[in-house]
Amino acid sequence: MILTVTLNTALDVTYTVDALVPHGSHRVRGVAERPGGKGVNVARVLAALGHEAVVTGFAGGPTGEALRRLLAPLPVRDALVPAEGTTRRTVAVVDSASGDTTQFNEPGPQVSAGEWAALLSAYEELLAGAEAVALCGSLPPGIHVGAYADLVRRARAAGVPVLLDTSGEPLRRGLAARPDLVKPNADELAALTGSREPLRAARDARRRGARAVVASLGPDGLLALTPEGIWRATPPQAVRGNPTGAGDSAVAGLLSALVEGLPWPDRLARAVALSAATVLAPAAGEFDRAAYGELLERVTVAEDTAAA
Amino acid sequence: MILTVTLNTALDVTYTVDALVPHGSHRVRGVAERPGGKGVNVARVLAALGHEAVVTGFAGGPTGEALRRLLAPLPVRDALVPAEGTTRRTVAVVDSASGDTTQFNEPGPQVSAGEWAALLSAYEELLAGAEAVALCGSLPPGIHVGAYADLVRRARAAGVPVLLDTSGEPLRRGLAARPDLVKPNADELAALTGSREPLRAARDARRRGARAVVASLGPDGLLALTPEGIWRATPPQAVRGNPTGAGDSAVAGLLSALVEGLPWPDRLARAVALSAATVLAPAAGEFDRAAYGELLERVTVAEDTAAA
């Protein structure tokens, strides 16, 4: 079983409008809701790859109930912890003509000390049966900034490989707890290290405590700095579409290949192919299975022996 | 008791963001929810003016529950009819620097024939105890376009004065059922009559069946064509602020003054003062009580004997 932790789960709402007009009034043509938060997306892709996936984090209020109702029919196990506060919504407004998206993210609920203690206890129990764990996304208000560092330490103590995918101060603190893997994008790396040069920034991130760093460079694929070597994995061509969830699919690719015992180049190829197949899928956060199969054969993974 | 009917009630959500950037991603700084739909707003203002107010219409799904929870502590009576479908949300995104608002309105639930029959039966019962009724806002999907015309006829048959505040085809059909009063704004009048000249357009609207037409002309106040004469009511000065709910406050002013037996000039002065005091209030849909008192003394109401 692979465990994903999403402390700030979300009810993802998508509005389709004719075209966004700032300060105008819009008739929403279509409303779609799906269970959201990065770890929830990761779990769905893991399940689609044939892995048993369990999601934990917090769910509360009417949106928390709606989230759980939408999770119920999916092939992932709901181990969310109840909270008093209301789970946040995210609203994506899609222009139907251009496909351009304008995103609004609510901050999320206040989480109490008692609720955090309940989450830690559920987490420890779940870790006992986990082959790997992914810690994903932003922190809701009221949770201390070192929360992910705490979860990283507990995973390491339990001997479970741990991937951290967050940003800002929670990432900085989490790195110091020595996770097995972090997967920052270029902006997150730059915010962490002050450098926009991926190799330099990823080296800096590794020095801060990560055993391996896989930097996602958008259409340029992935750059991996690991104890076994440095690799660059690139998709066969630039893909156009909706990048929502592409990073989460990369996380699912890396984690699933890790628990299957595959070497780094295979892990990276899978992550790049899944990521590109997610951009190609019409619905945000889904991946195109046929495209995934084709892309997987054609991803280039090159070891960078000069840089190592 | 004054009854307000809102067939397409709403949970009004307000997001505060730093500034709207089309196709960007926004962190929502503040989330506020209030019970919404035009008739709900009218009822709140009626209650604030000391009238007993009852709201009916449909409520369903998690947003319908949230709406009813938010209504419960307010001094209006909830006589909403349960529906299977989910009550719509409206999302207003406010730029915190400029105060400019970008509005997204969901379409609303599918309403079944059985639910419409349940509403009619509740409506007939409520009419028996009503001094006046306001029919407000858009129609949810699945309700026939002549729904308001039907409600107008039933109010007339019950001898209850009826005000209709809607737009488009539901307004056109509703007019033919001869409501006592309609309150279109300039855009709604133009869409109905093809004329942007308020006097000409309001005359046309009266010919289509309304006993009286009160056209709201934004900062220029109100133009009233009634069997007793033609009046123009204007605020003492242009007011700046959030116009959301100003039309609903005008409806509450007209109806409350009607049931109090006040003559037209007093009804119009109240409607204009309430409307301006609503624009001045910081929260959408509230009115500034002190400003209302001051404005009421200074509204100009002039009879237009030449036009009559």
Side-chain angles (χ1 to χ4, degrees), chain B residues 10-26:
Chain B
L11 182 66
D12 287 342
V13 181
T14 302
Y15 284 168
T16 307
V17 301
D18 293 340
L20 181 79
V21 180
H23 314 140
S25 184
H26 304 77

Side-chain angles (χ1 to χ4, degrees), chain A residues 14-232:
Chain A
T14 302
Y15 285 167
T16 308
V17 300
D18 293 340
L20 181 78
V21 179
H23 313 142
S25 184
H26 304 77
R27 195 176 287 258
V28 174
R29 305 290 177 187
V31 182
E33 293 188 342
R34 45 175 281 151
K38 283 171 177 285
V40 173
N41 300 338
V42 171
R44 293 181 71 167
V45 177
L46 287 170
L49 294 170
H51 284 267
E52 196 191 334
V54 177
V55 296
T56 193
F58 297 105
T63 44
E65 282 165 43
L67 167 67
R68 299 187 85 156
R69 258 199 308 274
L70 292 168
L71 268 181
L74 302 180
V76 301
R77 195 167 107 225
D78 172 356
L80 293 168
V81 172
E84 267 292 300
T86 295
T87 296
R88 70 194 174 120
R89 280 173 295 223
T90 71
V91 178
V93 178
V94 179
D95 289 28
S96 58
S98 65
D100 287 330
T101 296
T102 308
Q103 183 79 31
F104 301 97
N105 297 324
E106 296 185 9
Q110 282 289 338
V111 173
S112 70
E115 288 162 351
W116 175 242
L119 183 109
L120 285 180
S121 143
Y123 179 69
E124 294 272 6
E125 249 177 68
L126 291 163
L127 274 181
E131 299 163 276
V133 57
L135 309 175
C136 303
S138 64
L139 294 177
I143 286 194
H144 65 102
V145 74
Y148 278 132
D150 189 354
L151 298 181
V152 168
R153 273 185 219 103
R154 286 167 196 254
R156 285 173 47 82
V160 178
V162 54
L163 182 154
L164 176 62
D165 186 14
T166 187
S167 58
E169 192 59 22
L171 172 59
R172 191 185 303 270
R173 302 282 188 102
L175 277 169
R178 311 189 75 76
D180 293 277
L181 181 56
V182 292
K183 192 217 62 57
N185 63 30
D187 288 344
E188 288 161 355
L189 261 186
L192 179 74
T193 66
S195 169
R196 283 241 152 238
E197 202 288 289
L199 188 60
R200 170 195 292 252
R203 276 214 176 93
D204 184 349
R206 261 199 94 199
R207 265 196 303 270
R208 289 164 186 265
R211 191 171 153 77
V213 174
V214 177
S216 61
L217 308 174
D220 294 335
L222 299 174
L223 166 67
L225 272 70
T226 81
E228 287 84 45
I230 295 179
W231 285 273
R232 291 174 191 273

Side-chain angles (χ1 to χ4, degrees), chain B residues 7-235:
Chain B
L7 294 178
N8 211 1
T9 55
L11 182 66
D12 287 342
V13 181
T14 302
Y15 284 168
T16 307
V17 301
D18 293 340
L20 181 79
V21 180
H23 314 140
S25 184
H26 304 77
R27 194 176 287 257
V28 175
R29 305 290 175 184
V31 182
E33 293 188 342
R34 46 175 280 150
K38 282 170 177 286
V40 174
N41 300 338
V42 171
R44 294 180 70 166
V45 177
L46 286 170
L49 293 171
H51 284 267
E52 196 190 335
V54 177
V55 296
T56 191
F58 297 106
T63 45
E65 282 165 43
L67 167 68
R68 300 188 85 157
R69 257 199 309 273
L70 292 168
L71 268 181
L74 301 181
V76 300
R77 194 167 108 224
D78 172 355
L80 294 168
V81 172
E84 267 292 298
T86 294
T87 297
R88 70 195 173 118
R89 278 173 296 223
T90 71
V91 178
V93 179
V94 179
D95 289 28
S96 57
S98 66
D100 288 330
T101 297
T102 308
Q103 183 77 32
F104 302 97
N105 297 323
E106 296 186 9
Q110 281 290 338
V111 173
S112 70
E115 287 162 350
W116 175 241
L119 183 109
L120 284 180
S121 145
Y123 179 68
E124 295 270 8
E125 248 176 69
L126 291 162
L127 273 181
E131 298 163 276
V133 58
L135 310 175
C136 303
S138 64
L139 294 176
I143 285 196
H144 64 101
V145 73
Y148 279 132
D150 189 353
L151 298 182
V152 168
R153 273 184 220 104
R154 286 166 197 256
R156 286 173 46 83
V160 178
V162 55
L163 182 154
L164 176 62
D165 186 14
T166 187
S167 58
E169 193 59 23
L171 172 59
R172 191 184 303 271
R173 300 282 188 103
L175 277 170
R178 313 190 74 77
D180 294 277
L181 180 56
V182 293
K183 193 216 61 57
N185 63 30
D187 287 344
E188 289 160 355
L189 261 186
L192 178 75
T193 66
S195 169
R196 281 244 153 235
E197 203 287 292
L199 188 61
R200 171 194 292 250
R203 275 214 177 94
D204 184 349
R206 263 199 92 198
R207 268 196 302 271
R208 289 164 186 264
R211 190 169 154 78
V213 175
V214 176
S216 61
L217 308 175
D220 294 336
L222 300 174
L223 167 66
L225 273 70
T226 81
E228 287 83 47
I230 297 179
W231 284 273
R232 290 174 192 274
T234 44

